[in-house]
Amino acid sequence: MHMYGHGQQRFHALADWGNDYGPGWLYKPVAGRPPDPARTNHWPNIEAGLYWPYLKHRNVYNCPLDRTNVVSWQKRVPKLSSYIMSGAVCAFGRYQNGKTYKLGAFNPSAYAMWEPEIQNFGGVWGSNGGFDASQFPDRGEGIGHRHKKGAVITGFSGHVHFIKFEDFDREQKYNKPGLLWCVPDSKTGE
C-alpha cells in the first residue's frame, strides 16, 4: 500500500469499487467483472493490479486458512484474494474514475483492508453483492469467520493486527467517524 503510494504522489490505490474502472489495487476488471484466475487469458488483468508490481506472487494475496476445496471458494467472485479494501479510499463510490484520497488524509490507525465474510448472494459467493475487491465496513459485509474469533485487519499506517468480532461490530456501529467509517472529508466518515 505504501510502496504504491510513494510512487503515486502519496495517493492511495483505487479500491476496485464496482468494477467499472481500473485497474485497482487487485485487478483490472474484465467486462465489468473481476478476472478469473482459472482463465489464462485473464492473467494480464490480474497482473495489471496496482499492487502486483510490488508483490508479484499470488500466494501473498491469500490467507493460508482460505480453503480452495469448499463451495464458498469454488463459486466465489472474486477468487483473487482473501482480503478486501475499504471503500473509504474512494468515499464509498462518491469518488469515481480512479480518484482516491492521499494516504496522509486518513487517520493512520484507521482500517484500510481486512479479511471479509464470504456470503451467498443469490447463488454466487462473495465478500459483497457487487462482487468487487472493496466493501463497506458494516455488518452486512463485515469481517470473516475464518479465524473463529476475529480477522486480520490492516491500518492505513501499514500496521496489521487481529481484530475480534465484537471490536469490529462496536467500531462499525458506534464510531462515525472512526477507524472503519473514515472518509476524510465526511463528518460521519461515510
Side-chain angles (χ1 to χ4, degrees):
M1 177 171 58
H2 284 270
M3 288 187 289
Y4 173 82
H6 286 302
Q8 301 298 318
Q9 300 172 341
R10 307 290 299 152
F11 280 95
H12 202 287
L14 181 65
D16 281 313
W17 184 271
N19 293 319
D20 56 2
Y21 191 84
W25 76 277
L26 185 57
Y27 58 81
K28 180 179 178 183
V30 177
R33 296 189 53 85
D36 182 348
R39 300 180 68 176
T40 56
N41 62 328
H42 285 199
W43 270 92
N45 290 66
I46 294 168
E47 293 176 0
L50 300 175
Y51 288 2
W52 181 261
Y54 306 97
L55 301 172
K56 294 191 182 198
H57 295 283
R58 296 292 326 137
N59 291 345
V60 299
Y61 289 93
N62 294 294
C63 173
L65 295 178
D66 195 1
R67 305 288 181 225
T68 60
N69 62 346
V70 295
V71 72
S72 64
W73 190 90
Q74 293 165 355
K75 294 187 177 199
R76 181 163 91 196
V77 177
K79 293 180 182 177
L80 303 172
S81 179
S82 302
Y83 309 99
I84 205 84
M85 184 176 283
S86 172
V89 302
C90 66
F92 301 111
R94 281 188 290 122
Y95 275 13
Q96 296 182 3
N97 300 326
K99 186 176 178 184
T100 63
Y101 294 93
K102 288 193 173 194
L103 283 166
F106 291 94
N107 173 348
S109 298
Y111 301 128
M113 301 180 85
W114 55 84
E115 293 181 283
E117 181 72 281
I118 304 299
Q119 302 176 57
N120 187 345
F121 293 94
V124 179
W125 292 82
S127 56
N128 57 55
F131 306 113
D132 54 24
S134 63
Q135 71 180 60
F136 289 102
D138 60 22
R139 210 51 211 128
E141 295 183 353
I143 60 170
H145 289 75
R146 193 174 292 129
H147 297 279
K148 308 272 188 256
K149 295 185 180 192
V152 175
I153 198 161
T154 304
F156 282 98
S157 70
H159 71 281
V160 177
H161 70 273
F162 188 81
I163 188 169
K164 293 180 180 178
F165 296 124
E166 56 269 20
D167 295 337
F168 185 93
D169 285 344
R170 188 178 319 105
E171 182 65 32
Q172 65 89 17
K173 283 181 190 172
Y174 302 115
N175 294 324
K176 293 183 180 182
L179 300 178
L180 289 167
W181 299 103
C182 59
V183 174
D185 59 1
S186 167
K187 289 181 183 179
T188 62
E190 296 177 89

